[in-house]
């Protein structure tokens, strides 16, 4: 395994400096396990979510979307098994009382004080509890959802009734989830508030294995198609003794982060566990009825479940490049065009020349109708290019004195730094062609 922790520090620093990701509540010293996406990070994360939604909902005939509430009936979490089983082991350092997950302790030493004696492990439930309504007693306890999946399961009959879908079909959802992680860390990799992108794919039991394999391929390819280097991705199939008792299989898509291979997404073959559990706990018949044969049964479920923040972090780390240009180092974020937060920067070469400024502003107004652009005149051109490289802007369009005469602008390509003259009336189409 080749890992480079320095890269992580560089990415974290770039994220703060250029407005991708900030510490939550920084002015109060920060909040452990929570992060804010800055102006560029918000665009980047939105692009990741849009690319996912497009790929798993809009580009398929067998998928629909859902957007469920974060707060759900507390019985949901009894039925799903989260109240009883969604636990991590926790130990306490006997010297500084820091609470840790035993599997996160390196070399047997407390990361807080270096002590090596700990309390016996005990189970700690990861769900974040809250009270609903004016009474703060046991009758009003509920939880912030620890996964978006359960909203899909409890809506299974609603989706079937309202869309008349026939098996096999799937339901996709993107949304916030919350887990009271004992040791959040590695930047946005393990946090207490995060966004998931989850699919529950319902099929006849005899099709489950085939659909499980199809989804593993589809989800692995999604990361590759959006530019993540294949050598930094791998599939890890869980051993039989790692699986939940009801699961027939689970495979993780892992990324080689600077801190080592870690899970981006899990694809699980969950059998009929969730629907049968909710049927038992709610007393409702959640079986599927075949419209032709009238046969009733519980569909089996394939669940590709990814983290939007982890995905975004992988796109950031993978995009980070340093290149030697003459005697300086060029930092360039080589985002796939679909993921890049800004596609075009329009740069007037002389900010005091009214003609140049007017033409540059007109160009930006025209492009921004369907392409994300910025206008920047706050530094000399070399510096502006470097700034745009550092945030992964795909093209820089420079307007100069010559442009006023020949109605052509200079288009600079981010990855190759090649510059071309393109006529203003062809520019919009030229950029769209290259981005797609
Ligand atoms: N419904 C199945 C489920 O939630 P999971 O493996 O616990 O499965 C799915 O979570 C994905 O959610 C993970 O692969 C990861 O990308 C993301 N995720 C889970 N816990 C996270 C955390 N504490 N911080 C950031 N992302 C997390």
């Amino acid at each position: 395994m080749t890992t480079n922790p320095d890269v992580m520090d560089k990415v974290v620093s770039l994220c703060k400096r250029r407005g991708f990701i900030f510490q939550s509540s920084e002015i109060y010293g920060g909040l452990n396990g929570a992060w804010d996406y800055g102006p560029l990070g918000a665009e980047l994360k939105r692009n990741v979510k849009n690319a996912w939604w497009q790929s798993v909902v809009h580009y398929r005939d067998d998928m629909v979307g859902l957007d469920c509430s974060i707060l759900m009936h507390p019985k949901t979490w009894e039925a799903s098994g989260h109240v009883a089983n969604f636990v991590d082991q926790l130990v306490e350092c006997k010297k500084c009382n820091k609470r840790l997950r035993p599997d996160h302790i390196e070399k047997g030493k407390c990361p807080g004080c270096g002590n090596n004696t700990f309390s016996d492990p005990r189970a700690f439930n990861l769900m974040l509890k809250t009270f609903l309504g004016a009474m703060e007693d046991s009758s009003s306890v509920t939880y912030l959802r620890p996964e978006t999946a359960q909203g899909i399961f409890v809506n299974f009959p609603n989706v079937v009734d309202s869309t008349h879908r026939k098996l096999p079909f799937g339901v996709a959802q993107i949304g916030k989830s919350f887990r009271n992680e004992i040791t959040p860390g590695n930047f946005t990799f393990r946090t207490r508030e995060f966004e998931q992108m989850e699919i529950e794919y319902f099929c006849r039991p005899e099709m489950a294995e085939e659909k499980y394999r199809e989804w593993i391929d589809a989800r692995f390819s999604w990361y590759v198609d959006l530019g993540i280097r294949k050598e930094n991705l791998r599939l890890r199939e869980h051993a039989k003794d790692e699986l939940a008792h009801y699961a027939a299989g689970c495979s993780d898509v892992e990324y080689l982060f600077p801190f080592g291979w870690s899970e981006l997404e899990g694809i699980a073959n969950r059998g009929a566990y969730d629907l049968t559990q909710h049927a038992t706990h709610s007393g409702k018949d959640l079986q599927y009825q075949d419209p032709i044969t009238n046969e009733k049964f519980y569909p089996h479920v394939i669940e590709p479940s990814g983290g939007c923040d982890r995905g975004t972090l992988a796109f950031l780390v993978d995009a980070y490049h340093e290149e030697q240009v003459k005697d300086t180092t060029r930092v360039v974020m080589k985002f796939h065009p679909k993921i890049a937060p800004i596609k075009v920067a329009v740069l007037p070469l002389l900010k005091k020349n009214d003609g140049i400024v007017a033409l540059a502003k007109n160009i930006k107004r025209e492009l921004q109708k369907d392409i994300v652009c910025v206008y920047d005149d706050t530094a000399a051109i070399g510096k502006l290019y470097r700034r745009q490289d550092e945030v992964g802007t795909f093209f820089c369009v420079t307007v100069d004195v010559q442009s006023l005469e020949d109605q052509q602008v200079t288009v600079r390509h981010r990855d190759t730094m090649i510059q071309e003259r393109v006529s203003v009336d062809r520019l919009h189409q030229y950029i769209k062609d290259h981005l797609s």
Side-chain angles (χ1 to χ4, degrees):
M1 179 169 72
T2 51
T3 56
N4 182 358
D6 283 358
V7 170
M8 200 64 206
D9 291 344
K10 287 176 178 172
V11 169
V12 172
S13 142
L14 186 146
C15 281
K16 155 102 179 152
R17 188 161 31 85
R18 299 309 313 273
F20 280 96
I21 300 174
F22 307 128
Q23 201 180 12
S24 165
S25 334
E26 190 182 331
I27 59 165
Y28 293 106
L31 182 71
N32 201 4
W35 297 91
D36 296 338
Y37 287 81
L40 289 177
E43 293 288 344
L44 176 68
K45 193 172 170 192
R46 185 181 289 256
N47 291 344
V48 171
K49 290 191 276 190
N50 287 346
W52 184 85
W53 193 266
Q54 202 172 43
S55 143
V56 305
V57 181
H58 291 165
Y59 285 179
R60 296 181 62 115
D61 302 323
D62 56 351
M63 292 283 302
V64 291
L66 212 56
D67 187 355
C68 305
S69 60
I70 287 172
L71 298 171
M72 298 181 70
H73 195 290
K75 274 192 174 172
T76 309
W77 308 111
E78 286 169 27
S80 66
H82 282 81
V83 171
N85 302 321
F86 195 53
V87 292
D88 271 345
Q89 293 302 309
L90 174 150
V91 293
E92 202 167 314
C93 170
K94 285 198 170 164
K95 193 167 168 202
C96 72
N97 300 110
K98 195 175 172 71
R99 292 174 168 193
L100 300 156
R101 258 172 67 169
D103 56 330
H104 287 176
I105 298 175
E106 283 178 27
K107 296 180 184 149
K109 291 216 163 110
C110 169
C113 68
N115 173 49
N116 60 1
T117 47
F118 302 95
S119 66
D120 289 336
R122 66 178 171 88
F124 174 77
N125 194 295
L126 297 183
M127 281 198 294
L128 276 145
K129 235 185 226 175
T130 189
F131 300 98
L132 275 192
M135 300 293 284
E136 288 198 4
D137 60 24
S138 58
S139 68
S140 60
V141 164
T142 192
Y143 305 93
L144 301 185
R145 67 179 174 198
E147 61 173 23
T148 61
Q150 299 304 324
I152 301 180
F153 291 124
V154 301
N155 275 296
F156 175 70
N158 286 335
V159 174
V160 173
D161 292 347
S162 60
T163 66
H164 307 287
R165 287 274 158 173
K166 295 182 188 59
L167 294 183
F169 73 89
V171 182
Q173 169 161 230
I174 300 177
K176 289 269 187 180
S177 294
F178 301 83
R179 296 182 188 178
N180 200 4
E181 297 283 356
I182 298 166
T183 46
N186 283 330
F187 198 28
T188 55
F189 181 82
R190 181 171 290 100
T191 55
R192 291 179 171 141
E193 174 180 339
F194 53 94
E195 241 172 317
Q196 289 185 306
M197 309 187 290
E198 294 201 290
I199 295 165
E200 306 303 330
Y201 194 84
F202 302 95
C203 62
R204 295 187 69 90
E206 62 275 18
M207 286 182 87
E209 177 62 21
E210 177 192 330
K211 294 293 167 195
Y212 170 59
R213 299 282 156 204
E214 279 176 20
W215 274 110
I216 292 174
D217 289 348
R219 294 305 307 141
F220 189 89
S221 304
W222 183 77
Y223 293 98
V224 178
D225 294 346
L226 286 176
I228 299 225
R229 281 164 286 177
K230 218 171 172 179
E231 65 268 26
N232 290 339
L233 286 167
R234 73 176 184 194
L235 274 172
R236 189 181 75 81
E237 187 138 18
H238 289 208
K240 285 274 173 268
D241 61 0
E242 281 181 88
L243 296 175
H245 64 91
Y246 51 81
C250 185
S251 297
D252 289 344
V253 179
E254 294 188 337
Y255 178 73
L256 183 56
F257 284 100
F259 44 83
W261 286 103
S262 307
E263 175 189 335
L264 280 183
E265 168 159 356
I267 299 104
N269 179 348
R270 298 180 62 90
Y273 174 76
D274 303 273
L275 288 178
T276 47
Q277 282 292 105
H278 285 300
T280 308
H281 283 253
S282 68
K284 298 280 179 334
D285 181 3
L286 301 181
Q287 291 179 95
Y288 173 82
Q289 183 162 24
D290 188 295
I292 296 165
T293 63
N294 283 335
E295 174 198 7
K296 281 182 94 176
F297 60 94
Y298 285 105
H300 279 204
V301 172
I302 309 304
E303 182 192 63
S305 169
C308 181
D309 306 86
R310 279 192 194 174
T312 302
L313 183 60
F315 285 116
L316 277 163
V317 170
D318 215 72
Y320 185 89
H321 285 77
E322 287 179 4
E323 292 172 1
Q324 218 46 44
V325 180
K326 295 186 188 139
D327 52 355
T328 59
T329 305
R330 175 173 97 112
V331 172
V332 51
M333 295 297 276
K334 294 192 175 175
F335 293 119
H336 185 280
K338 228 173 175 167
I339 295 294
I342 301 167
K343 317 297 179 198
V344 181
V346 183
L347 314 171
L349 200 65
L350 299 170
K351 67 176 176 185
K352 288 194 176 143
N353 181 314
D354 291 345
I356 291 180
V357 169
L359 180 56
K361 287 195 169 163
N362 271 342
I363 289 172
K364 196 223 166 199
R365 244 190 313 273
E366 176 58 26
L367 294 179
Q368 73 188 12
K369 288 177 186 161
D370 54 1
I371 297 170
V372 180
C373 319
V374 292
Y375 176 93
D376 195 358
D377 63 3
T378 56
I381 194 70
K383 202 164 188 179
L384 291 180
Y385 282 158
R386 290 290 179 269
R387 276 192 203 157
Q388 295 302 330
D389 288 345
E390 214 186 24
V391 299
T393 305
F394 213 66
F395 290 114
C396 288
V397 170
T398 306
V399 184
D400 54 24
V401 177
Q402 185 70 23
S403 310
L404 301 179
E405 287 165 22
D406 61 9
Q407 289 296 301
Q408 292 191 347
V409 288
T410 303
V411 177
R412 175 183 177 272
H413 296 238
R414 177 195 69 195
D415 295 348
T416 57
M417 292 190 285
I418 286 173
Q419 301 190 4
E420 286 180 78
R421 291 294 280 183
V422 177
S423 69
V424 172
D425 56 4
R426 223 167 45 85
L427 182 67
H428 200 153
Q429 196 55 47
Y430 173 94
I431 286 173
K432 278 170 80 167
D433 290 347
H434 279 78
L435 288 175
S436 63

